[in-house]
Amino acid sequence: MIPTLFGVMLLTFLVTQFVPGGPVEQMMSQMEGLAKGGEVSAAGASMYRGGSGLDADRVEQLKELYGFDKPPITRFFSMMKNYLVFDFGTSYYYHQSVVELVISRMPVSMSLGLWSFLIVYGICIPLGISKAVRDGSRFDILSSTAILVGYAIPGFVLAIVLIVLFGGGSFWNIFPLRGIVSDGWSDMSTIHKILDYLWHMVLPITSGAVGSLAVMTMLTKNSFLEEIRKQYVLTARAKGLSEQQVLYKHVFRNGIIPIITGFPGYFIGAFFTGSLLIETIFSLDGMGLLAYQSVLNRDYPVVLGTLYFFTIIGLFARLLSDLSYVVVDPRISFDSSD
């Protein structure tokens, strides 16, 4: 995990060194543009010298301000030293602590991710099992058609369709389109706060969950279908066990392994990842939109700081997924002597 984390950060840091239009260049361009427009401040005017732009001394001051006066290798190890204690610095663009900025955007991403997670796992497991038991039936064919159509529709396209139908686009104005709560939410009663929050979540969660629902449902079906066709199931039936006993006492604990082992990664990822298109369409200030804006604005403290944090989260999620194999199936061991 440590070399992986180090490699991810090093590679990303090197890429940022060759991307044009860094924070220094953007500040220079902004100050020159303001000066030419006659709206520059007194401090900026002292740094701008007519048509010649910024003088060399002022450019060096800008580099020092952003830490670009030091060699790249020095800046990288200094950054990693601070990151070890989760000191991610201050955003160039928002002029706010990166930690505070991420915390302020987290509720939106957590709302989208958590509800999508609950809906996907709450529907895909029973639906996948039902499809496996009724493989080839009319129910299986119709449900497969429906979920594959849903999978084929991109999330942002489905979001636009839902807005047109239910967001006041052309038909019914049922669901709100901005934010996760209404104005004056803090003055509402508890029950109205809950209902208002859930009402705002319907369209974005539906848009984001449909694609994952199709994947997980088919994965569940195929996993259980493979187990149902194995010899031990025929043996259990020959012993006189009912179909329910065979399914939930023998097949379930083996067929659920591929689903459960992905549970930790999906669950943790649901809290910290964001969807740029969904957040943009529904005007939600979440992690996806923050990451996109940070890249556009060359806001390196936010880009690298969030990358470091989410890489650690992703690595621990992968570790938990590996360990869950042993918990779910005791036959699996990581002991090299086996």
Side-chain angles (χ1 to χ4, degrees):
M1 292 172 61
I2 294 176
T4 301
L5 176 63
F6 185 86
V8 168
M9 296 305 301
L10 178 61
L11 181 60
T12 308
F13 181 84
L14 290 176
V15 170
T16 61
Q17 304 309 300
F18 297 100
V19 175
V24 174
E25 288 79 5
Q26 288 199 356
M27 179 59 70
M28 290 171 58
S29 176
Q30 181 182 3
M31 294 177 64
E32 291 175 3
L34 288 174
K36 291 177 181 178
E39 300 177 358
V40 71
S41 62
S46 65
M47 300 178 72
Y48 180 75
R49 300 301 175 85
S52 61
L54 297 176
D55 59 49
D57 291 339
R58 299 306 185 183
V59 172
E60 290 301 321
Q61 290 181 9
L62 281 178
K63 290 183 178 180
E64 183 178 356
L65 175 65
Y66 289 108
F68 285 87
D69 57 324
K70 301 180 178 65
I73 189 67
T74 303
R75 288 189 280 114
F76 175 74
F77 281 104
S78 176
M79 178 190 74
M80 293 302 296
K81 180 180 178 181
N82 292 332
Y83 282 7
L84 288 176
V85 293
F86 295 96
D87 179 9
F88 301 132
T90 303
S91 167
Y92 294 156
Y93 183 77
Y94 297 97
H95 306 291
Q96 184 180 355
S97 167
V98 174
V99 174
E100 294 177 356
L101 188 61
V102 170
I103 291 176
S104 67
R105 300 295 186 94
M106 197 73 74
V108 172
S109 297
M110 289 178 64
S111 295
L112 292 175
L114 180 60
W115 286 112
S116 297
F117 169 81
L118 293 175
I119 290 174
V120 167
Y121 270 85
I123 295 178
C124 75
I125 293 178
L127 179 59
I129 295 175
S130 298
K131 287 173 61 61
V133 173
R134 299 173 177 84
D135 182 47
S137 66
R138 180 177 296 181
F139 167 79
D140 180 41
I141 295 174
L142 292 177
S143 59
S144 294
T145 302
I147 63 175
L148 290 177
V149 168
Y151 177 72
I153 301 176
F156 70 93
V157 174
L158 179 59
I160 295 174
V161 171
L162 292 176
I163 289 175
V164 172
L165 292 177
F166 304 110
S170 300
F171 294 89
W172 302 281
N173 187 9
I174 300 176
F175 298 101
L177 299 179
R178 298 181 61 86
I180 58 175
V181 292
S182 302
D183 295 335
W185 182 80
S186 58
D187 298 328
M188 299 180 183
S189 63
T190 301
I191 185 64
H192 282 91
K193 286 182 178 180
I194 296 174
L195 292 176
D196 181 75
Y197 164 75
L198 294 176
W199 207 239
H200 279 76
M201 287 289 99
V202 170
L203 295 187
I205 290 174
T206 302
S207 304
V210 169
S212 298
L213 178 64
V215 174
M216 295 300 296
T217 300
M218 297 308 296
L219 176 62
T220 303
K221 176 197 171 180
N222 293 334
S223 177
F224 275 80
L225 194 59
E226 181 181 358
E227 293 297 323
I228 290 174
R229 293 170 176 173
K230 288 185 176 179
Q231 185 65 40
Y232 74 88
V233 175
L234 296 177
T235 303
R237 288 171 176 166
K239 291 181 178 180
L241 296 179
S242 66
E243 287 298 318
Q244 293 294 319
Q245 289 177 314
V246 172
L247 180 62
Y248 291 103
K249 190 174 181 180
H250 295 278
V251 175
F252 185 84
R253 64 182 181 183
N254 293 319
I256 202 66
I257 290 177
I259 313 302
I260 295 299
T261 50
F263 184 95
Y266 195 101
F267 182 75
I268 294 176
F271 280 90
F272 301 105
T273 57
S275 174
L276 170 62
L277 294 175
I278 298 300
E279 292 175 9
T280 301
I281 292 173
F282 292 101
S283 301
L284 302 172
D285 289 330
M287 292 302 303
L289 191 58
L290 175 63
Y292 176 70
Q293 292 173 338
S294 299
V295 172
L296 288 183
N297 297 318
R298 305 296 190 268
D299 197 351
Y300 295 148
V302 177
V303 173
L304 294 171
T306 53
L307 177 67
Y308 176 84
F309 179 69
F310 294 142
T311 301
I312 291 178
I313 295 295
L315 290 172
F316 272 102
R318 177 63 62 183
L319 176 62
L320 290 176
S321 295
D322 291 341
L323 295 177
S324 64
Y325 278 101
V326 181
V327 175
V328 175
D329 189 354
R331 297 171 298 176
I332 298 175
S333 174
F334 295 117
D335 191 347
S336 59
S337 63
D338 291 346

